[in-house]
DNA sequence: ATGAAAGCGCTAACAG
DNA sequence: CTGTTAGCGCTTTCAT
């Protein structure tokens, strides 16, 4: 049987409540007894029982992290460990712990969220994806449970706290960069159009293309999986076109990796034949050949901010919905280059 | 205020204890009242309070997952989301939830583990790494807390339950494959020598090299980070040698990716000039250029088995230490090829 | 087959 | 400043 607050109290010669106060570092306890109690705790190897504490406090000092359902291969993206790192760092600092859900499908994810909320397992939830008509989001709103989204909500934007980059602007900048390099046939490769991140990046691309009066055939917009394999599929589509693009705006570095490799197979080189710009600045992006021009969206920071916001919200439920835009930084590297004259 | 067992009891016209029994599906409750109580639960939207339940049950139906400290960049490896997927699937099926630790440094990880154990937050722990002289492992052994390791423990192997591949054998097979292709100068690139996974794979390589009477200069063994950048560093060392290798056994696909890209930069092509074999069969390994010959270690399965074992151990503390070897499968792809005559 | 009551370990009034 | 007391929501003897 584990050592409890009572045991400590007995050894220290005080009442259990005093021990409790010492744990909470209550200022009304004399330094003297504090020291005595702390010594007793050390001696006995006391550790508070979280369940008991949470039961009375009606809180758990834990936050739930919801990943996309693992049916979604995108989970393979190093984006997730990286953002987990940011979330973990902030949570640890604030003495919160992390609960994660990796449901196998959407239904399971939904159930896990329900369990977390109703079972009082977590004080708040971070959603690591944002898509249209998400029942999870709806549920959280309905029961008024604190949550924040990493990414931008599609609906009820003003009521939801979220942490995001200005993806539209970043994408526009990337596209303009290609335009400045002399490219005129620029295509866009994104993930599922149901994800806000895709639509925002697409919109930035479109805005820049239109502003520059460049051709924008429908064929130049391709949606594929947020993975190396997705890049592969996209290349097969785009370079079968009559007028294939010379510049590419790609919504994720892993996709870009697939694109580069596939281009090579069909005899095209990056950046000589095709310039590539993309998003996320994954750890590997600087080390592949050629190194990627990519938007550093500061994944770690996204995680930190999301966590901080969430904890604020969990502590004060009246906290109004907030929107945090994390600045991005474009890393210009060799994958994008001046268009060669033909 | 959430609806409790008492509210349900009142509505159903029974005692709280009866409701509790219905939840546990106690066979000594008449079908009739079971139905009545269940209806009341539905009507009121009742959900059991996990904290209260855990408090009395002294268990939490949760398992802790310990990642390497996030100071370790290896966290970026898609290995982690993938194994999390396996763990999550099994945990969900057994109605367990997941607690994860992503401490910023080893000290923090240690503290988080302590908190999990002493606070009764989890019923057991899965360690996603295995290194020499790990204080976390030692602690878990000391307090006799159920845990399993993914990988092979360095010390006290027979006392610890672990799930692993036969890395020695796989590595030997990989090396022999290169030997059969005609390679004579074969080098090994591994991660930290403190990790069992590295030493096992190294040993398999050495065994095969010795058995074939091939040269094994010390320079042919390089240790680098389990990442793309690590592959880059390794190439710089190996191909500065007087007699650079023509075949490579690499302990991780991400490293291989770095190797391939770096080789390209110094004018060497894979597999024409250098054949590559590696480990893990990450999702991207089939889609890069050239596709990697790599050992599919069945990451998802490793996670499933680890979780199943752990839950068994948590339920019955007397369960003896077990060792589970998950079969691997070598995927032969284009990165390894016959050695060209010079 | 069901109810009454005790208690898991802790915190939070309320006294003093 | 510190002790007493009453629960938090649930499970579990022990009765009946």
């Amino acid at each position: 049987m584990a050592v409890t607050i009572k045991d400590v109290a007995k050894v220290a010669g005080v009442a259990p409540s005093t021990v409790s106060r010492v744990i909470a570092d209550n200022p009304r306890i004399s330094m003297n007894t504090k020291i005595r109690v702390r010594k007793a705790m050390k001696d006995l190897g006391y550790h508070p029982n979280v369940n008991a504490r949470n039961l009375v406090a009606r809180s758990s000092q834990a936050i739930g992290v919801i990943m996309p359902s693992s049916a979604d291969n995108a989970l393979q993206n190093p984006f997730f460990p990286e953002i987990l790192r940011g979330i973990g760092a902030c949570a640890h600092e604030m003495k919160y712990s992390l609960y994660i859900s990796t449901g196998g499908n959407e239904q399971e994810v939904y159930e896990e969220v329900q369990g977390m909320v109703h079972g009082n397992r977590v004080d708040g939830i971070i959603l690591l994806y944002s898509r249209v008509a998400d029942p999870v989001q709806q549920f959280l709103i309905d029961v008024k449970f604190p949550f924040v989204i990493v990414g931008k909500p599609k609906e009820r934007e003003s009521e939801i706290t979220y942490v995001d980059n200005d993806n539209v602007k970043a994408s526009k900048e990337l596209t303009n960069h290609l335009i400045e390099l002399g490219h005129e046939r620029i295509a866009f490769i994104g993930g599922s159009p149901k994800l806000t991140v895709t639509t925002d990046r697409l919109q930035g691309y479109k805005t820049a293309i239109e502003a520059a009066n460049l051709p924008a055939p429908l064929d130049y917009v391709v949606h594929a999986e947020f993975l190396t394999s997705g890049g592969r599929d996209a290349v097969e589509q785009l370079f079968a076109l009559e007028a294939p693009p010379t510049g590419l705006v790609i919504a994720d570095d892993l996709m870009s990796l697939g694109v580069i490799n596939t281009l090579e197979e069909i005899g095209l080189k990056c950046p000589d034949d095709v310039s590539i710009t993309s998003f996320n600045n994954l750890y590997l992006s600087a080390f592949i050949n050629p190194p990627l021009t990519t938007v550093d969206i500061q994944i770690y920071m996204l995680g930190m901010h999301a966590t901080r916001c969430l904890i604020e919200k969990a502590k004060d439920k009246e906290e109004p919905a907030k929107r945090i835009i994390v600045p991005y930084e474009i890393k210009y590297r060799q994958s994008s280059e001046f268009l060669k004259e033909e």
Side-chain angles (χ1 to χ4, degrees), chain A residues 63-82:
Chain A
I63 69 190
V65 178
I66 316 298
M67 313 248 213
S69 91
S70 66
D72 189 342
N73 283 316
L75 200 60
Q76 299 268 342
N77 202 301
F79 172 85
F80 293 102
E82 177 65 5

Side-chain angles (χ1 to χ4, degrees), chain A residues 280-302:
Chain A
N280 290 2
N281 193 30
L282 298 181
Y283 192 79
L284 56 75
S285 307
F287 300 105
I288 60 173
N289 189 8
L292 290 175
T293 291
T294 183
V295 180
D296 184 346
I297 59 169
Q298 311 244 45
I299 302 176
Y300 184 86
M301 274 303 157
L302 286 170

